[in-house]
Amino acid sequence: MGSKEAFRRIIFCVLLLLCVSCKCLTSEVNTTQLAVLKVDASPQHARKIPETLFGIFFEEINHAGAGGIWAELVSNRGFEAGGPNTPSSIDPWSIIGNESVISVATDRSSCFSRNIIALRMEVLCGDCQAGGVGIYNPGFWGMNIEDGKNYSLVMYAKSLENTELTVSLTSSDGLQNLSSATIQVAGTSNWTKLEQKLVAKGTNRTSRLQITTNKKGVIWLDQISLMPSDTYEGHGFRKELVSMLLDLKPQFMRFPGGCFVEGQWLRNAFRWRESVGPWEERPGHFGDVWGYWTDDGLGYYEFLQLSEDLGAAPIWVFNNGFSHNEEINTTAIAPFDILYSLEFARGSTNSTWGSLRVAMGHPEPFPVKYVTIGNEDCTKKFYHGNYLKFHRAIREAYPDIQIISNCDGSSKPLDHPADIYDFHVYGDSNTLFSMRNKFDSTPRNGTKAFVSEYAVSSNGVGRGTLLASLAEAAFLTGLEKNSDVVQMASYAPLFMNDNDRSWNPAAVVFNSWKQYGSPSYWMQTIFRESSGAVLHPVTINSMYSNSLAASAITWKASNSSFLRVKIVNIGSNPVNLIVSTTGLEALVNMRKSTITILTSKNLSDENSFSKPTNVVPVTRELPNAGEEMFAFLGPYSFTSFDLALGQQKHVS
């Protein structure tokens, strides 16, 4: 018997004697389970995990973009949200003053041909109230204005007579003035672009933008934008939200949906061409699946830019003729629009669409190498015909692009060509935990899987619980184990504005000025080194194994290497665990080894704005780190052992 096997048996017997001969003196000991986790770290049994395994999926849902990561502070900046028929609603804009002194209504007088709605404001008073009359915009549930920060205001105005406007940042009731400036508007029949820097002299988390005047007359306003100057890399994204994404180390970003791509009706589907070019000229659209208007300031170009900022490969999901209620017959559809979108991203500087990308500030092509044809459309009558039409056109023009089908290939081969197939899974915690073995029996030489949407989303999930994160962690260990057939995976949804919980839970929750990660977000941080790592086989020996899930990888950070052993205990019993590793070619450095544990007192525990770190991973030193080691797994826990690897072993 080898020394390692002897060690395992001695420890196991000692633990068994403690529990049996002592007759389990306390209830805690009585429920303690025993398990041996064997890790084969030998190079001959190792396998490289795809570089793309874990990434993110960004959908415009829950105000993830508009009122979220896209830093625009004005909601309905072009007055288009009320629809093309005038007069129309200007919500959330409101008037300052009463209807006896000011009248506002939309008309079709804008200078922008793609978004023709503008606001006509008639001031009826000659001696107006103190501070003037006008309009204000509260943004998305209040604007976060911070002391000392700069804000860039851009707006378009037209007045037949010389007039003067005061633009101000104030508290929600208008009583606290945080910043103010006066703008002269020359009398002319032409529209004038006005720009003004505003510096805040105070902080208010629920501020509003005011535009007022004391002069009687008529003025038209359109395309009013207010952006903070300190966005990420100057690209228009909220820094703190980008930071949370960077901490996940995403290898890809799937965008812009999801159902957002389709719409309930095709007229409300995302149309990439209407989301590029100067922001003032974008018509915006009503996202009828999730029930809100977006100005499409976060458009196709910005999604590509965000992917680049994150160092993530862009995965462009496009509409191929379907909404939730409509289908376009294959005979009536053409693939030109998607080819134009790829030319925009990848085309040369002198190509038609590539030159527009250059004009927007990005001379270098965006490396789009993945596209998904549709979203959850496989069962629709014309999907296969439409898919093949797009597939042929893309393959001919861009043979290097990986094409992703909506049809499930996990159980049987696809009946159409595809490089990758899309797979979505939502359910309760039992469903996700049980699906850790979903791809065990998938044919190993077929089309690869992209699990682009997974989450625990029902049965007591609350706003994102510890239990949900444990089930999802177990599911991800199964994806690691099957990463020879699973190419990519991403959680859904990514973001949620706390004021719009259309789909609950989400990885990151925010409001206008703060944010926190759900337990599911923090769970994903423990998998962020898995992409491109080396996978090692593991086995669990225990009568309690139905409540356990584990995986092992080796990964590198700077000049250091680590063996990471992850194990989920989703059961109510603690576990005395023996971790036995064979095949390591390097010695374990105990001083640099750590253990990270994600757990909490109750399965239903969540994070919140008041307790943002209620359920987060805790890391500490692992003084007993070694090829053979004993560990204690608490009930309802996710544990990661990082064994630092030092000098190579001497071979005698």
Side-chain angles (χ1 to χ4, degrees):
M1 180 188 299
S3 59
K4 293 179 181 178
E5 183 64 26
F7 171 85
R8 287 195 296 271
R9 293 196 176 188
I10 290 170
I11 294 295
F12 190 85
C13 289
V14 169
L15 294 172
L16 189 62
L17 285 171
L18 284 172
C19 285
V20 176
S21 65
C22 295
K23 299 185 182 295
C24 306
L25 298 178
T26 68
S27 59
E28 181 178 357
V29 176
N30 185 52
T31 58
T32 300
Q33 302 294 320
L34 305 175
V36 176
L37 175 60
K38 296 181 180 180
V39 180
D40 180 357
S42 60
Q44 58 267 37
H45 294 140
R47 174 168 51 78
K48 185 96 163 22
I49 293 174
E51 298 283 351
T52 56
L53 185 58
F54 293 124
I56 58 175
F57 164 44
F58 189 107
E59 177 164 18
E60 181 59 270
I61 182 177
N62 301 329
H63 278 83
I69 198 170
W70 186 242
E72 173 63 64
L73 294 173
V74 176
S75 177
N76 188 19
R77 65 187 178 190
F79 305 100
E80 306 289 330
N85 299 317
T86 57
S88 58
S89 168
I90 61 171
D91 185 67
W93 292 91
S94 295
I95 63 171
I96 299 170
N98 59 53
E99 294 181 355
S100 66
V101 294
I102 184 172
S103 172
V104 297
T106 57
D107 63 20
R108 300 167 68 86
S109 64
S110 174
C111 59
F112 301 110
S113 60
R114 291 201 296 174
N115 44 9
I116 60 173
I117 305 300
L119 183 74
R120 181 183 185 274
M121 182 172 77
E122 183 174 5
V123 177
L124 304 173
C125 52
D127 183 18
C128 298
Q129 64 191 47
V133 298
I135 57 173
Y136 71 87
N137 188 287
F140 300 89
W141 301 282
M143 299 178 180
N144 178 37
I145 302 300
E146 297 183 328
D147 186 40
K149 290 193 174 181
N150 297 321
Y151 299 85
S152 298
L153 176 71
V154 179
M155 57 189 291
Y156 289 78
K158 181 179 71 170
S159 176
L160 298 180
E161 298 179 357
N162 293 338
T163 194
E164 185 176 272
L165 295 175
T166 299
V167 293
S168 308
L169 301 177
T170 75
S171 57
S172 60
D173 57 9
L175 298 179
Q176 179 190 14
N177 194 312
L178 302 168
S179 185
S180 189
T182 300
I183 301 177
Q184 301 297 324
V185 181
T188 175
S189 60
N190 297 320
W191 285 88
T192 302
K193 182 178 182 179
L194 305 172
E195 299 181 76
Q196 180 67 48
K197 296 290 184 183
L198 296 171
V199 181
K201 297 179 180 178
T203 295
N204 190 294
R205 306 300 188 183
T206 56
S207 305
R208 70 189 197 186
L209 169 68
Q210 294 187 172
I211 303 171
T212 57
T213 183
N214 284 296
K215 186 172 182 180
K216 187 175 183 179
V218 177
I219 187 168
W220 285 263
L221 300 170
D222 197 12
Q223 296 303 326
I224 302 167
S225 171
L226 182 69
M227 290 284 280
S229 61
D230 63 341
T231 62
Y232 186 79
E233 299 291 342
H235 293 154
F237 309 116
R238 275 178 62 173
K239 280 184 174 180
E240 65 276 16
L241 296 183
V242 173
S243 178
M244 294 195 74
L245 299 186
L246 288 169
D247 284 346
L248 292 176
K249 298 181 180 178
Q251 298 304 301
F252 64 82
M253 188 179 89
R254 177 182 183 240
F255 68 88
C259 297
F260 181 73
V261 170
E262 305 162 286
Q264 293 286 6
W265 302 96
L266 282 171
R267 65 177 178 270
N268 294 319
F270 179 78
R271 301 182 187 279
W272 77 270
R273 276 200 274 188
E274 295 182 353
S275 75
V276 296
W279 61 267
E280 304 97 323
E281 299 177 11
R282 303 181 191 184
H285 77 287
F286 179 63
D288 59 357
V289 174
W290 306 120
Y292 60 91
W293 175 266
T294 170
D295 291 311
D296 287 332
L298 179 60
Y300 180 54
Y301 174 88
E302 287 75 20
F303 282 119
L304 293 169
Q305 183 64 68
L306 179 58
S307 299
E308 181 177 272
D309 289 345
L310 297 173
I315 301 180
W316 163 219
V317 184
F318 64 86
N319 188 296
N320 68 320
F322 302 98
S323 70
H324 287 183
N325 295 291
E326 301 157 292
E327 297 189 34
I328 295 179
N329 192 302
T330 302
T331 59
I333 202 165
F336 301 116
D337 195 58
I338 180 59
L339 296 180
Y340 295 153
S341 76
L342 294 173
E343 183 182 284
F344 176 89
R346 296 180 36 156
S348 66
T349 58
N350 56 9
S351 64
T352 300
W353 290 102
S355 62
L356 177 57
R357 181 195 71 242
V358 174
M360 293 182 70
H362 203 283
E364 295 300 316
F366 289 108
V368 176
K369 295 183 179 179
Y370 301 91
V371 296
T372 300
I373 302 178
N375 174 69
E376 298 178 346
D377 294 327
C378 183
T379 59
K380 294 177 179 175
K381 179 179 178 181
F382 296 112
Y383 180 73
H384 283 67
N386 293 5
Y387 173 91
L388 290 172
K389 212 167 192 179
F390 283 98
H391 184 281
R392 283 192 294 268
I394 296 168
R395 182 65 80 226
E396 180 178 345
Y398 300 95
D400 63 312
I401 285 182
Q402 299 278 288
I403 300 175
I404 303 170
S405 167
N406 288 178
C407 300
D408 180 8
S410 61
S411 301
K412 61 181 181 180
L414 298 178
D415 61 359
H416 55 275
D419 299 293
I420 302 170
Y421 64 87
D422 202 0
F423 185 89
H424 298 177
V425 54
Y426 295 101
D428 60 18
S429 57
N430 289 331
T431 299
L432 267 290
F433 186 81
S434 66
M435 290 194 71
R436 68 193 186 281
N437 301 318
K438 165 65 182 175
F439 295 94
D440 287 2
S441 58
T442 295
R444 312 326 269 183
N445 57 356
T447 306
K448 306 299 183 185
F450 177 16
V451 184
S452 68
E453 299 181 31
Y454 74 86
V456 173
S457 60
S458 60
N459 289 0
V461 72
R463 295 190 170 192
T465 63
L466 169 66
L467 176 60
S469 69
L470 297 180
E472 292 155 0
F475 178 64
L476 295 191
T477 64
L479 297 190
E480 286 182 320
K481 181 177 65 174
N482 288 291
S483 57
D484 56 331
V485 295
V486 178
Q487 186 80 13
M488 308 176 191
S490 50
Y491 179 91
L494 180 62
F495 281 131
M496 176 189 295
N497 188 309
D498 192 50
N499 298 284
D500 178 9
R501 290 180 171 269
S502 298
W503 186 288
N504 191 64
V508 178
V509 182
F510 60 88
N511 58 21
S512 67
W513 62 284
K514 55 186 176 180
Q515 61 286 322
Y516 66 86
S518 69
S520 296
Y521 169 85
W522 291 108
M523 174 276 298
Q524 291 177 69
T525 65
I526 301 175
F527 286 87
R528 62 190 170 194
E529 282 82 19
S530 294
S531 299
V534 175
L535 180 75
H536 302 291
V538 300
T539 56
I540 300 174
N541 295 326
S542 175
M543 295 178 62
Y544 190 61
S545 59
N546 286 339
S547 295
L548 304 175
S551 66
I553 63 169
T554 51
W555 63 280
K556 293 183 178 181
S558 300
N559 296 321
S560 301
S561 295
F562 296 86
L563 171 67
R564 174 171 292 174
V565 181
K566 301 188 289 289
I567 183 164
V568 177
N569 178 12
I570 204 168
S572 59
N573 297 332
V575 176
N576 285 318
L577 177 72
I578 299 171
V579 180
S580 177
T581 304
T582 59
L584 274 179
E585 295 185 330
L587 299 172
V588 175
N589 185 333
M590 288 187 292
R591 290 182 304 158
K592 295 184 177 180
S593 298
T594 60
I595 179 173
T596 300
I597 303 173
L598 178 67
T599 190
S600 193
K601 292 181 180 179
N602 299 300
L603 274 175
S604 59
D605 281 353
E606 306 173 346
N607 293 332
S608 63
F609 289 123
S610 59
K611 294 182 178 180
T613 59
N614 190 39
V615 186
V616 297
V618 176
T619 300
R620 57 179 172 81
E621 293 180 350
L622 185 61
N624 68 325
E627 294 178 54
E628 305 283 347
M629 62 183 186
F630 166 75
F632 177 81
L633 303 180
Y636 308 126
S637 63
F638 178 28
T639 303
S640 175
F641 305 96
D642 272 306
L643 306 185
L645 304 180
Q647 296 178 344
Q648 293 293 303
K649 293 179 179 179
H650 296 292
V651 180
S652 57

